[in-house]
């Protein structure tokens, strides 16, 4: 990708934007995360590699609260992900202030997608090296699961995954109908998937 990968604003002759592909590579090399929509809620899970015995527990978090009805799990570079969490919180607060109702996951994911996409359009910024899986609930649309990728693509899912063990977890997710399970029933299979992704 010589010369075509110096800026996020440059397309290669094949129509690729290498900087976005490199951001995706950062995610593919990070800890595995997973989100699953069940019939009575949503489960978010994450690998947590303890890279030092000196770390204080709870320091290197990947799961965050955005609002009382929205949660997020980060794949990729945690500092980039935290910047996205901060943006989500601002968007949720603004929406609540404007409309006096909590933000729906679909709207939040679309707004986050626009913000992430804006970082692929200018030479003065770089794409975020993080994907965000958003779990949300609202009375109108019920439980929702969305994932926002470094390109700005925001999609709704029944279950989704990102990170090192993505292929293994995805294959396992496709075998089981989590939509028919309760969160309690889905918890053990979800943990088994994350353990399986290590092998």
């Amino acid at each position: 990708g010589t010369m075509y990968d110096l800026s996020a604003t440059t397309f290669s002759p094949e129509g690729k934007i290498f900087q976005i592909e490199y951001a995706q590579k950062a995610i593919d090399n990070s800890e595995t995360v997973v989100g699953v929509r069940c019939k009575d809620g949503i489960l978010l899970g994450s690998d947590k590699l303890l890279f030092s015995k000196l770390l204080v527990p709870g320091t290197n978090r990947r799961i965050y609260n955005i609002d009382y009805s929205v949660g997020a799990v980060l794949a990729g570079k945690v500092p980039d992900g935290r910047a996205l969490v901060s943006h989500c919180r601002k968007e949720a607060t603004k929406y609540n202030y404007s409309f006096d109702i909590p933000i729906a996951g679909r709207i939040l994911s679309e707004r986050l997608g626009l913000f992430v996409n804006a970082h692929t359009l200018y030479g003065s910024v770089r794409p975020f090296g993080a994907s965000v899986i958003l779990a949300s609930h609202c009375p109108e649309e019920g439980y929702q699961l969305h994932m926002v990728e470094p390109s700005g693509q925001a999609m709704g899912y029944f279950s989704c995954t990102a990170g090192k063990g993505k292929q293994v977890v995805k294959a396992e997710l496709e075998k089981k109908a989590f939509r028919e399970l309760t969160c309690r029933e889905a918890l053990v299979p979800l943990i088994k998937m994350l353990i399986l992704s290590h092998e």
Side-chain angles (χ1 to χ4, degrees):
T2 53
M3 299 307 292
Y4 297 108
D5 62 356
L6 300 178
S7 164
T9 61
T10 311
F11 282 94
S12 77
E14 295 86 44
K16 293 178 176 178
I17 301 173
F18 287 111
Q19 288 289 324
I20 293 174
E21 292 192 7
Y22 298 157
Q24 189 60 54
K25 193 77 78 187
I27 294 158
D28 293 341
N29 290 329
S30 80
E31 287 106 315
T32 310
V33 298
V34 62
V36 171
R37 199 165 119 184
C38 305
K39 64 181 179 187
D40 64 343
I42 293 176
L43 291 177
L44 295 177
S46 168
D47 252 358
K48 198 164 174 189
L49 302 178
L50 207 63
F51 51 87
S52 168
K53 288 181 179 171
L54 306 176
L55 271 185
V56 174
T59 305
N60 54 335
R61 290 171 58 198
R62 282 192 178 270
I63 298 178
Y64 289 86
N65 262 6
I66 303 297
D67 202 345
Y68 64 85
S69 59
V70 185
V73 61
L74 313 173
K77 304 282 178 205
V78 175
D80 283 20
R82 287 216 318 268
L84 295 177
V85 164
S86 175
H87 183 77
C88 283
R89 286 173 176 163
K90 284 177 195 157
E91 284 292 347
T93 305
K94 267 196 303 193
Y95 189 91
N96 203 322
Y97 182 78
S98 301
F99 303 109
D100 207 23
I101 54 168
I103 195 165
R106 180 178 49 82
I107 295 167
L108 182 59
S109 72
E110 283 170 6
R111 290 187 179 190
L112 181 62
L114 285 170
F115 177 72
V116 170
N117 178 249
H119 285 73
T120 69
L121 303 175
Y122 307 101
S124 57
V125 292
R126 68 162 174 81
F128 288 97
S131 276
V132 181
I133 297 175
L134 293 168
S136 61
H137 178 267
C138 70
E140 294 78 25
E141 299 180 41
Y143 295 105
Q144 291 186 308
L145 188 65
H146 293 84
M147 181 157 68
V148 180
E149 296 177 51
S151 60
Q153 179 171 275
M155 290 184 153
Y157 292 88
F158 290 114
S159 50
C160 58
T161 179
K164 221 176 254 176
K166 179 169 74 173
Q167 297 305 332
V168 176
V169 174
K170 197 174 175 201
E172 292 298 311
L173 287 171
E174 285 166 1
K175 287 181 199 168
K176 210 165 184 67
F178 280 97
R179 277 175 286 172
E180 291 154 25
L181 302 178
T182 63
C183 285
R184 190 176 283 273
E185 290 164 345
L187 188 59
V188 173
L190 189 82
I191 293 165
K192 280 182 180 168
M193 268 182 228
L194 286 171
I195 292 167
L196 198 66
S197 73
H198 282 271
E199 293 164 9

